[in-house]
Amino acid sequence: MRLESPTPDAPTDPREDGGGTTTAPGEKPVERVSGVVIRFAGDSGDGMQLTGDRFTAETATLGNALATLPNFPAEIRAPQGTLPGVSSFQLQFADHVVLTPGDAPDVLVAMNPAALRANVGDLPRGGVIIADADEFSRRSLQKVGYTVSPLEDGSLESYQVHALPLTSMTVEALADSGLSRKDAERAKNMFALGMLSWLYDRPTTATERFIATKFAKRPEIRDANLTAFRAGWAFGETTEGFAVRYEVAPAEHPAGTYRNITGSTALAYGLATAAHKAGLPLVLGSYPITPASDILHALSGMKRFGVTTLQAEDEIAGVGIALGASFGGSLGVTTTSGPGLALKAETIGLAVMLELPLVVVDVQRGGPSTGLPTKTEQADLLQAMYGRNGESPLPVVAASSPTDCFTAALEAVRIAVTYRTPVVLLSDGYLANGSEPWALPAVADLPTIDPAFATGPNGAGDDGTPAFRPYLRDPETLARPWAVPGTPGLEHRVGGLEKADVTGEISYEPDNHEKMTGLRQAKVDGVDVPPLEVDDPVAPDGSRARVLVLGWGSTYGPIAAAVRDARGEGLQVARAHLRHLNPFPPGLGDVLRAYDRVVLPEMNGGQLALLLRARYLVDVQSHGRVRGRPFSAGELTDVVRDAVRDLPEHDTATPARAGHGSGSGAVTESPQEARR
């Protein structure tokens, strides 16, 4: 979609132009709202992910700001109608910048009793429930522990309940389709999508085009889904159950071309773009594993951009393919999740010894072992840092949002190629599956990455003749030359045994091993990363916050929303977010020591807090959760509020002082981030 900057006279927020309700002649009144959180929930076979995805796509087309949270079971087909089999898709869309998918839904679409029972606890009082009444049979109710239907016993009286026969209305709409009742019932998600599209004034053209394309080879299924979708729209338009429909105005975006994108797709695009900017073919060696498989799927469709994908027989083979590709002069990439990262450890250690570029993408999930394959977590940080034998340092980079996965991928490739080192790029299930609008960058404006291949001898032999020294390092980066096999005069030895400095010959000398270990560490320590930016606005009286909320990875959105809420209560709070976890940004210790209290929310038991305490001897206070879900903004607002109010003497702000201003990378918040 193409968005242009609004003219100064054009209102962009219904709260600014009066909002309220409008009514066109002969139509139901339209109520303007600033934002809505909808959760679609049903059986894992009810198509809730597809329904949510299509609603999201249409919402993005309208220019709303949005964030999504898919949530589905690990089983391919969990037991039908049971609580473990519930699949849901939550979407927040608004006329202002949103940072999270929402703490709680305003509207819950429940396709069966299991979906209602699993999700109604998250719905605030007064929220809307749209339930498929046809599915609330005695057997279905008993499966989830209901003795009587909650639609009839008064237990939902504090909610706005719309008990609708969605299944039977779908079957009735498809009476002439020739489909069996069972097949016709499968289109009920499209009926629900059509109804919600009418209720929230979503366009329908793209969804109809999507259905026609997706089921083009099965005309009867295509026609049934289109009919059900249109029937749902017509029902919303004509039923007396919905007295009004709702309108959410577009959010204010900078001018540009936008598309909705998931974190995995953005990461795949970032890898392909970085390879293009480096002038390298990209070779992905990967074994399918949840939640990283979508990156393999996305890159497999990019052959025309010089991307080669190989689905390996196991994790070890996948990383071996990638490292071999880098040895051959390509950009080697491997993707995995926590269990796979453990299996790849030996080959990653080989890459450290060979000092070759390699990008290892770890899309984190709940663990240990198989753990929670479809749930999110940030518990692989220490494994990424230290999960190899010996002194085996490597850079670690973390993405902070679905769209930031693109930028993080560019940065990981830049470091890997420039410094001739494996790099671990951390994402997680929340980022991988979530989506948000992404402003397409101008590829020509992105920085070039220079592989600087060795082209000839770089030294002299004992007899004075030209010779290639494979471990003669660049004095600025400490990177060794990258020599493509087959280049005349650049023959050299590679392998996992320790190498002699400069010559690269096998060496067991103690002093040489210590020197090479130190050089490999110094190379990682010397990676060029920017200073940490700190969002710490100066108060009118010149004071600054005494509490810093620090984060990394996917906690960016919930932390930013929580700090925004805390500031709305009059509390002074600073915020910073780390992209580079190894090495840390320069001056990080000074930033941490400039605050009386540093609070660090992370979805693990306190791994980054442990590293920061050890490195900087600062009392970083960890707030760790491992529930398989991202933090809610409300939970972190409570954490921030307690941190500020528990300060000694209840003094909530401190005057600006050395190391607490622009010298530590402090920046003021942007106008766009000032709105949640």
Side-chain angles (χ1 to χ4, degrees):
M1 64 180 171
R2 183 76 189 175
L3 296 179
E4 302 295 340
S5 293
T7 61
D9 296 330
T12 58
D13 189 332
R15 295 168 298 184
E16 298 173 0
D17 67 0
T21 304
T22 61
T23 307
E27 295 184 1
K28 293 181 180 180
V30 176
E31 180 178 335
R32 291 180 177 176
V33 294
S34 63
V36 181
V37 180
I38 298 177
R39 182 181 297 176
F40 298 93
D43 209 53
S44 58
D46 284 340
M48 292 297 95
Q49 302 305 315
L50 176 62
T51 303
D53 181 71
R54 292 315 312 161
F55 194 92
T56 300
E58 298 293 11
T59 297
T61 301
L62 280 180
N64 294 130
L66 64 90
T68 68
L69 177 62
N71 187 10
F72 44 88
E75 292 78 12
I76 295 175
R77 189 65 169 90
Q80 189 172 6
T82 63
L83 293 174
V86 173
S87 173
S88 68
F89 188 105
Q90 183 163 308
L91 161 72
Q92 178 174 198
F93 59 103
D95 61 6
H96 53 276
V97 173
V98 296
L99 296 166
T100 72
D103 286 1
D106 301 308
V107 179
L108 172 62
V109 180
M111 303 300 284
N112 61 18
L116 179 65
R117 180 140 208 166
N119 293 280
V120 71
D122 295 334
L123 191 68
R125 300 299 179 183
V128 176
I129 296 174
I130 299 175
D132 183 0
D134 290 331
E135 293 297 316
F136 283 68
S137 64
R138 177 177 297 180
R139 185 168 180 269
S140 296
L141 292 168
Q142 290 174 345
K143 279 186 179 182
V144 294
Y146 284 127
T147 55
V148 294
S149 174
L151 302 180
E152 301 171 353
D153 66 358
S155 60
L156 303 178
E157 62 183 9
S158 59
Y159 304 101
Q160 303 177 53
V161 180
H162 299 270
L164 306 173
L166 299 180
T167 300
S168 57
M169 285 193 293
T170 302
V171 172
E172 183 179 352
L174 301 180
D176 298 329
S177 66
L179 296 178
S180 66
R181 180 180 178 87
K182 182 177 180 180
D183 288 339
E185 288 179 355
R186 292 175 178 170
K188 64 184 179 182
N189 64 321
M190 289 294 105
F191 187 99
L193 176 59
M195 181 178 64
L196 268 292
S197 296
W198 174 86
L199 188 60
Y200 288 97
D201 198 22
R202 305 293 93 181
T204 62
T205 303
T207 293
E208 293 191 0
R209 187 185 309 116
F210 170 84
I211 294 172
T213 302
K214 181 176 178 64
F215 301 108
K217 295 182 179 180
R218 301 190 64 184
E220 71 283 3
I221 302 298
R222 175 201 63 203
D223 295 343
N225 280 281
L226 285 171
T227 299
F229 178 71
R230 292 164 181 164
W233 175 281
F235 174 78
E237 194 171 30
T238 57
T239 183
E240 295 181 359
F242 299 127
V244 298
R245 65 193 307 198
Y246 300 93
E247 178 184 275
V248 179
E252 183 178 345
H253 296 276
T257 302
Y258 288 74
R259 60 156 292 176
N260 193 55
I261 197 167
T262 65
S264 286
T265 301
L267 201 152
Y269 286 0
L271 292 171
T273 301
H276 172 76
K277 298 300 291 186
L280 298 172
L282 188 154
V283 177
L284 174 71
S286 182
Y287 179 74
I289 183 172
T290 301
S293 299
D294 284 345
I295 303 172
L296 170 61
H297 299 160
L299 285 173
S300 66
M302 299 185 190
K303 294 180 181 178
R304 64 189 182 281
F305 299 118
V307 176
T308 300
T309 55
L310 294 95
Q311 180 173 319
E313 65 268 27
D314 55 42
E315 296 282 1
I316 299 172
V319 68
I321 289 168
L323 182 56
S326 290
F327 175 67
S330 297
L331 174 61
V333 179
T334 189
T335 55
T336 190
S337 189
L341 186 64
L343 291 169
K344 296 178 189 292
E346 184 179 8
T347 304
I348 296 172
L350 175 60
V352 172
M353 181 65 79
L354 296 180
E355 299 192 47
L356 286 172
L358 176 68
V359 177
V360 181
V361 179
D362 176 14
V363 186
Q364 301 166 95
R365 71 189 204 188
S369 188
T370 307
L372 305 173
T374 61
K375 312 303 179 186
T376 195
E377 204 163 276
Q378 290 181 295
D380 292 347
L381 176 57
L382 293 181
Q383 181 181 195
M385 291 283 289
Y386 302 118
R388 296 162 296 283
N389 66 298
E391 294 291 335
S392 185
L394 50 73
V396 179
V397 175
S400 61
S401 70
T403 57
D404 185 59
C405 287
F406 177 87
T407 307
L410 287 173
E411 178 66 355
V413 173
R414 179 191 72 84
I415 294 173
V417 171
T418 302
Y419 294 89
R420 314 288 196 253
T421 177
V423 176
V424 174
L425 171 55
L426 295 175
S427 177
D428 60 42
Y430 172 40
L431 297 183
N433 297 320
S435 65
E436 60 186 0
W438 176 49
L440 273 63
V443 176
D445 295 339
L446 298 175
T448 299
I449 301 171
D450 184 8
F453 289 117
T455 57
N458 60 351
D462 294 338
D463 58 359
T465 59
F468 178 58
R469 301 303 191 192
Y471 282 82
L472 181 63
R473 300 175 184 276
D474 181 288
E476 293 186 4
T477 65
L478 297 182
R480 80 173 188 90
W482 190 1
V484 177
T487 305
L490 303 189
E491 297 83 2
H492 62 287
R493 183 190 303 273
V494 297
L497 292 173
E498 182 62 279
K499 305 296 184 294
D501 185 30
V502 180
T503 67
E505 298 297 329
I506 294 173
S507 173
Y508 297 103
E509 293 296 325
D511 290 343
N512 177 78
H513 176 57
E514 187 165 35
K515 181 177 182 179
M516 293 295 281
T517 299
L519 284 169
R520 288 188 288 264
Q521 183 65 60
K523 181 175 69 172
V524 173
D525 291 341
V527 170
D528 180 26
V529 302
L532 181 66
E533 293 187 347
V534 182
D535 174 14
D536 187 2
V538 182
D541 62 0
S543 63
R544 288 186 180 274
R546 295 173 60 192
V547 171
L548 171 69
V549 184
L550 184 68
W552 69 276
S554 65
T555 59
Y556 173 86
I559 289 175
V563 169
R564 205 93 327 111
D565 290 347
R567 289 175 180 170
E569 297 175 7
L571 303 178
Q572 276 193 263
V573 186
R575 175 177 66 89
H577 210 77
L578 290 168
R579 176 193 298 284
H580 298 91
L581 302 173
N582 194 33
F584 288 127
L588 176 58
D590 292 337
V591 171
L592 299 180
R593 284 186 284 268
Y595 293 89
D596 294 336
R597 181 164 295 170
V598 178
V599 179
L600 175 53
E602 50 184 328
M603 292 186 292
N604 57 50
Q607 295 183 15
L608 180 58
L610 177 71
L611 296 176
L612 294 175
R613 282 168 167 259
R615 176 71 62 87
Y616 301 111
L617 302 180
V618 173
D619 184 19
V620 176
Q621 298 187 5
S622 175
H623 179 75
R625 300 297 295 271
V626 283
R627 303 177 64 244
R629 296 182 179 183
F631 284 111
S632 70
E635 174 187 354
L636 294 188
T637 300
D638 292 339
V639 171
V640 172
R641 187 186 298 116
D642 292 343
V644 174
R645 293 178 176 171
D646 288 346
L647 288 170
E649 301 177 2
H650 301 281
D651 185 7
T652 59
T654 187
R657 56 186 182 271
H660 201 167
S662 59
S664 63
V667 296
T668 57
E669 61 189 339
S670 67
Q672 283 190 331
E673 285 189 332
R675 295 176 295 166
R676 182 176 169 190

